[in-house]
């Protein structure tokens, strides 16, 4: 039997991520024995062993690795379908004064493409029958997951930091990068810097953003939101590398210095390749005309 139930797929994915039945059961809010039995039933139905269990712990088999990869994508697609369907259902009926409007969620990286975002929202709002746009700020690389699981209908994505694999996209802007430093630091007085200049500054380590749930190695602070980063830079505790458009959110305690050898950042409007949303099509048309 090839059909998979979303509940049993979620059970398996949680065990595969934790590699521990006890921790997985705790995450799922259930007892361990029924979770173990559910995974065993899934293995019997598929006719393969997904997990190797012994006294040392739990490991994924080759088949388990495959289901972990494919299952995440399948569960994201199911979740996305439910979320987008609810949004579409909330917009049922005629628009206009007093009537419901279409609703789109646009994911953006906090602090990036500020001026471009303003132009896009203003231009789109002037369009007839424009949908209501909910702007959803996110951290580095979070936009991809938001598109895949339906939390967002479109996203402003930034190459080379974001992957556009599996999405349709329209290129909107190319810009350089800057080092964001404490205003009183000696490097802040320089006309330009290289990546080597800011990669190993004594007492001023590079800030570390999570990418796909993992922080890169290094001595710099782990950053969880834009306000935390801004404060740590102002206090002289870290330095960050950002697209030039990030100048819009800088404080008086910050300085922005161009980086001569950082790769250019290309901003794209991205959306799921299979989308049939008329409201999204209107947003894309507006973006291409900027």
């Amino acid at each position: 039997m090839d059909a998979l139930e979303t509940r049993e797929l979620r059970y398996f994915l949680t065990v595969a991520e934790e590699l521990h039945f006890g921790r997985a059961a705790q995450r799922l809010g259930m007892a361990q024995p029924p979770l173990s039995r559910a995974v065993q039933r899934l293995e019997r139905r598929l006719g393969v062993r997904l997990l190797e269990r012994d006294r040392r712990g739990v490991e994924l088999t080759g088949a388990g690795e495959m289901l972990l990869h494919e299952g995440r994508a399948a569960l994201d697609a199911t979740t996305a379908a439910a979320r987008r369907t609810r949004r579409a259902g909330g917009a049922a009926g005629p628009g206009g004064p007093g009537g419901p409007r279409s609703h789109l969620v646009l994911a953006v990286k906090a602090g990036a493409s500020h001026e471009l975002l303003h132009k896009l929202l203003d231009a789109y709002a002037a369009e007839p029958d424009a949908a209501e746009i909910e702007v959803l700020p996110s951290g580095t690389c979070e936009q991809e997951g938001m598109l895949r699981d339906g939390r967002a209908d479109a996203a402003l994505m930034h190459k080379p930091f974001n992957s556009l694999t599996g999405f349709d996209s329209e290129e909107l802007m190319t810009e350089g990068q800057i080092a964001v430093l404490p205003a009183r630091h000696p490097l802040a007085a320089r006309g330009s810097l290289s990546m080597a200049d800011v990669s190993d500054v004594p007492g001023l380590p590079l800030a570390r953003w999570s990418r796909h749930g993992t922080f890169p190695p290094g001595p710099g602070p782990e950053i969880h939101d834009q306000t935390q980063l801004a404060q740590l830079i102002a206090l002289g505790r870290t330095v960050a590398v950002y697209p030039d458009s990030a100048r819009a959110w800088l404080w008086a305690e910050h300085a922005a210095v161009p980086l001569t050898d950082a790769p250019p950042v290309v901003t794209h409007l991205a959306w799921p390749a299979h989308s049939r949303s008329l409201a999204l099509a209107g947003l894309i048309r507006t973006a291409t005309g900027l």
Side-chain angles (χ1 to χ4, degrees):
M1 186 173 181
D2 292 332
L4 289 173
E5 298 179 2
T6 55
R7 181 175 61 177
E8 65 184 4
L9 187 55
R10 185 174 289 107
Y11 286 175
F12 167 75
L13 292 177
T14 306
V15 174
E17 289 166 357
E18 294 289 345
L19 291 179
H20 190 282
F21 275 90
R23 290 194 298 269
Q26 187 174 18
R27 267 180 60 184
L28 292 164
M30 63 187 298
Q32 182 174 334
L35 174 59
S36 182
R37 290 194 295 269
V39 173
Q40 289 171 353
R41 285 196 301 270
L42 177 59
E43 289 177 319
R44 288 196 296 270
R45 289 177 57 215
L46 293 176
V48 295
R49 182 174 291 279
L50 301 171
L51 301 167
E52 293 290 352
R53 311 161 178 84
D54 57 30
R55 293 179 180 178
R56 293 173 298 178
V58 178
E59 292 185 0
L60 288 169
T61 64
E65 292 277 4
M66 177 63 71
L67 186 57
L68 174 61
H69 174 75
E70 297 286 347
R72 278 173 174 161
L75 202 57
D76 280 349
T78 301
T79 303
R83 284 172 169 158
R84 292 191 176 111
T85 298
R86 282 195 294 268
R87 283 201 289 274
R101 297 172 62 193
S102 298
H103 179 203
L104 292 174
V105 178
L106 176 65
V108 301
K109 179 182 174 182
S113 305
H114 186 75
E115 184 177 350
L116 174 65
L117 178 59
H118 265 295
K119 289 181 179 178
L120 174 59
L121 294 177
D122 288 347
Y124 181 64
E127 293 290 328
D129 301 320
E132 179 183 354
I133 301 292
E134 177 186 348
V135 177
L136 188 61
S138 66
T140 301
C141 295
E142 289 182 356
Q143 303 99 308
E144 300 165 42
M146 290 176 174
L147 281 184
R148 296 190 198 282
D149 67 14
R151 283 175 289 168
D153 300 295
L156 291 183
M157 310 267 271
H158 308 277
K159 292 186 71 176
F161 307 112
N162 298 125
S163 170
L164 297 172
T165 302
F167 303 121
D168 284 341
S169 66
E170 184 71 30
E171 183 177 322
L172 302 182
M173 180 178 73
T174 300
E175 60 184 320
Q177 296 196 66
I178 56 174
V180 183
L181 301 143
R184 292 186 291 182
H185 194 277
L187 289 178
R190 299 267 293 272
S192 64
L193 294 167
S194 69
M195 287 297 297
D197 290 331
V198 298
S199 295
D200 189 22
V201 182
L204 199 67
L206 276 167
R208 294 183 294 139
W209 284 94
S210 171
R211 295 191 178 184
H212 309 293
T214 302
F215 287 93
E222 295 182 353
I223 302 300
H224 300 276
D225 59 58
Q226 195 71 30
T227 301
Q228 176 199 16
L229 174 63
Q231 187 169 28
L232 288 175
I233 294 173
L235 291 171
R237 302 299 178 91
T238 191
V239 58
V241 174
Y242 255 84
D244 189 77
S245 56
R247 294 175 186 270
W249 61 261
L250 298 188
W251 299 359
E253 294 93 337
H254 299 156
V257 181
L259 290 165
T260 57
D261 57 351
V265 176
V266 183
T267 301
H268 294 252
L269 178 66
W271 62 92
H274 61 271
S275 176
R276 297 295 182 268
S277 167
L278 294 178
L280 177 57
L283 179 64
I284 295 165
R285 284 195 300 271
T286 300
T288 58
L290 292 178

